[in-house]
Amino acid sequence: MKIFLLGFMGCGKTTLGRKLATKLDYPFIDLDHQLEAETGMSVSEYFAVNGEQSFRELENKVLKSTAYPEDCVVSTGGGTPCFYDNMDFMNGAGSTVYIEMPPIALAKRLINARVKRPLIAGLDEAQLVLFIESKLAERNLFYRRASLTISGIDISPEKVKEQLFQVL
């Protein structure tokens, strides 16, 4: 089974993805690392040089052209489900899991990582919370189409595995 993890930046997709993949004995794929391998640049460098539109086009291409094993856990970028037909693609290719977190909790996780994240670089804490609230209002339309929604607070690979297999 292919499991695509989605949610806002900072919700723990990569951390949980690695642990879940280990628990299931599946390979782990981080789409951001796939993008970096393809371009030879970090996501933030690519974003800065080429802009968001070019990044989203590349992200769509990498999502759809990656050779996924039959069973794997895939960590997506925070905006991946929200562009083109990416959500339809992921729902058709496997199971999607939305890691939901409140804006304040996300802001606390992201406050020290702003420099590495192009969309939030330069925002103070209050601006960051407002930005997250605004983006979540837009993105929840896509995130809520996931096969499973789980709370990112106090999450564990065991809980995700149990809930996933109940849904399927």
Side-chain angles (χ1 to χ4, degrees):
M1 159 180 33
K2 292 174 191 65
I3 302 166
F4 293 89
L5 301 178
L6 18 137
F8 203 78
M9 67 177 104
C11 73
K13 297 178 297 287
T14 300
T15 301
L16 175 67
R18 284 191 180 110
K19 291 177 181 176
L20 182 61
T22 299
K23 181 90 181 153
L24 296 170
D25 197 26
Y26 286 4
F28 173 70
I29 298 169
D30 185 318
L31 280 184
D32 282 348
H33 293 157
Q34 298 287 107
L35 285 159
E36 291 170 349
E38 182 155 325
T39 64
M41 297 182 194
S42 71
V43 167
S44 55
E45 288 171 328
Y46 187 90
F47 211 96
V49 170
N50 299 291
E52 185 174 10
Q53 179 63 36
S54 179
F55 173 77
R56 297 301 177 192
E57 289 169 7
L58 176 64
E59 180 181 57
N60 175 263
K61 176 182 161 251
V62 170
L63 172 70
K64 293 178 180 173
S65 66
T66 296
Y68 301 103
E70 185 64 32
D71 296 318
C72 62
V73 176
V74 181
S75 172
T76 67
T80 305
C82 310
F83 293 88
Y84 306 102
D85 61 344
N86 292 349
M87 196 65 203
D88 290 333
F89 173 82
M90 290 184 288
N91 276 329
S95 296
T96 49
V97 177
Y98 170 33
I99 304 169
E100 183 177 42
M101 287 188 69
I104 302 268
L106 289 166
K108 286 182 191 229
R109 287 187 177 186
L110 291 169
I111 196 71
N112 293 320
R114 289 171 295 175
V115 247
K116 296 187 295 187
R117 301 190 182 256
L119 290 176
I120 61 171
L123 300 180
D124 67 28
E125 192 167 355
Q127 292 169 322
L128 181 57
V129 171
L130 290 173
F131 174 81
I132 293 168
E133 289 171 344
S134 171
K135 282 293 183 191
L136 278 176
E138 296 168 15
R139 291 180 176 186
N140 272 333
L141 175 69
F142 299 94
Y143 292 160
R144 298 255 178 248
R145 293 177 50 209
S147 312
L148 175 66
T149 297
I150 55 172
S151 170
I153 306 291
D154 201 28
I155 194 171
S156 73
E158 293 78 17
K159 287 180 189 176
V160 176
K161 179 182 174 186
E162 179 183 315
Q163 289 182 29
L164 252 179
F165 288 100
Q166 284 176 359
V167 169
L168 304 174

